Amino acid sequence: MPLEDMEKMKKEVAGGADDRPDEPKIPEIGYFYLAQQINTLMQMLNESRNNTDIRFDNQRQEFKAEIRGLREEIKNDISELKGEFNDFRNNTDIRFDNQKQEFKAEIKGLKDEIKKDISELKGEFNVFRNNTDIRFDNQKQEFKAEIKGLKDEIKKDISELKGEFNGIKTWFIGTIVGIVGIIIAIVGLILKS
């Protein structure tokens, strides 16, 4: 709408209606211009809506394409990772098997070595036990001989003591008998007198 027509319309509207002076008066041309502006705005809104829909569709298609590409890339990466994981798992299994065999061989060697050492120790222990038994038997015989000798000495000493005691006993009895005899003789002499 040209500027002159707008100015003209403003004056007409400001003049008000004939029967109601406080309300503005809108001429027919104003309705036409207003309808034209509303139609223009509707067209702009529709164009904006269509443009927005087109942009959303384009953007959705772009995102779908990017997501498809990303999905393919991820699938390829996962497939590659699966391959690497399977290789790693197989290598790990092989390493464990090799290590198991290595440890088994070392354990068998250690087991044989320990059995040999134990066998040698058993032999040395048996020799030591036999020597110890012989030493105990020899010592036992020596102690028995010493005890028997001591026993014989003690028996001899006891026999000698018994003999001496019997001698003392006999001497004591003889002395008592002699004293009793002297006392009887003295009593007899006293009584005779």
Side-chain angles (χ1 to χ4, degrees):
M1 176 191 265
L3 234 63
E4 307 168 339
D5 292 337
M6 285 290 276
E7 288 298 320
K8 187 177 173 188
M9 195 162 136
K10 277 184 189 176
K11 287 180 186 174
E12 285 178 8
V13 168
D18 294 335
D19 53 349
R20 287 190 239 147
D22 56 338
E23 289 184 16
K25 178 180 169 188
I26 299 176
E28 288 184 23
I29 189 101
Y31 285 113
F32 173 73
Y33 286 135
L34 189 58
Q36 196 176 18
Q37 284 181 346
I38 290 173
N39 283 338
T40 304
L41 284 175
M42 289 299 285
Q43 283 176 350
M44 287 173 57
L45 181 64
N46 286 336
E47 285 176 16
S48 175
R49 190 177 297 146
N50 289 341
N51 285 341
T52 304
D53 288 345
I54 290 169
R55 286 175 64 194
F56 272 120
D57 286 342
N58 289 341
Q59 196 173 31
R60 191 175 76 230
Q61 294 302 323
E62 285 177 28
F63 284 157
K64 279 186 178 181
E66 284 184 30
I67 289 171
R68 266 189 243 111
L70 184 61
R71 181 178 289 143
E72 290 300 318
E73 191 177 324
I74 289 172
K75 279 184 182 179
N76 291 337
D77 288 347
I78 288 174
S79 178
E80 187 178 319
L81 278 174
K82 280 183 181 179
E84 287 179 20
F85 176 72
N86 287 336
D87 290 345
F88 177 72
R89 183 176 55 201
N90 293 338
N91 288 339
T92 303
D93 289 345
I94 289 168
R95 286 175 64 195
F96 271 113
D97 290 343
N98 291 341
Q99 191 173 19
K100 183 178 177 181
Q101 295 304 320
E102 184 181 326
F103 284 154
K104 275 187 175 181
E106 285 186 32
I107 289 170
K108 186 181 181 315
L110 181 63
K111 193 175 176 183
D112 293 343
E113 198 176 309
I114 289 172
K115 278 184 179 179
K116 180 184 169 196
D117 289 345
I118 288 173
S119 179
E120 287 176 5
L121 279 173
K122 278 184 180 178
E124 289 179 21
F125 178 75
N126 287 336
V127 168
F128 176 75
R129 183 176 56 200
N130 291 339
N131 288 341
T132 304
D133 288 346
I134 290 169
R135 286 175 66 192
F136 271 116
D137 290 343
N138 290 343
Q139 202 170 38
K140 185 178 177 182
Q141 294 303 321
E142 286 176 23
F143 285 152
K144 276 186 176 181
E146 285 184 31
I147 290 171
K148 187 176 185 296
L150 184 61
K151 200 177 189 185
D152 291 342
E153 277 183 42
I154 291 172
K155 277 184 182 179
K156 181 181 168 192
D157 289 345
I158 289 175
S159 264
E160 287 176 5
L161 279 173
K162 277 184 182 179
E164 286 181 23
F165 185 71
N166 283 338
I168 291 175
K169 197 162 115 185
T170 305
W171 175 82
F172 184 70
I173 291 174
T175 306
I176 290 179
V177 170
I179 292 175
V180 171
I182 292 174
I183 293 176
I184 291 177
I186 293 177
V187 169
L189 283 174
I190 295 180
L191 286 172
K192 266 189 179 185
S193 19

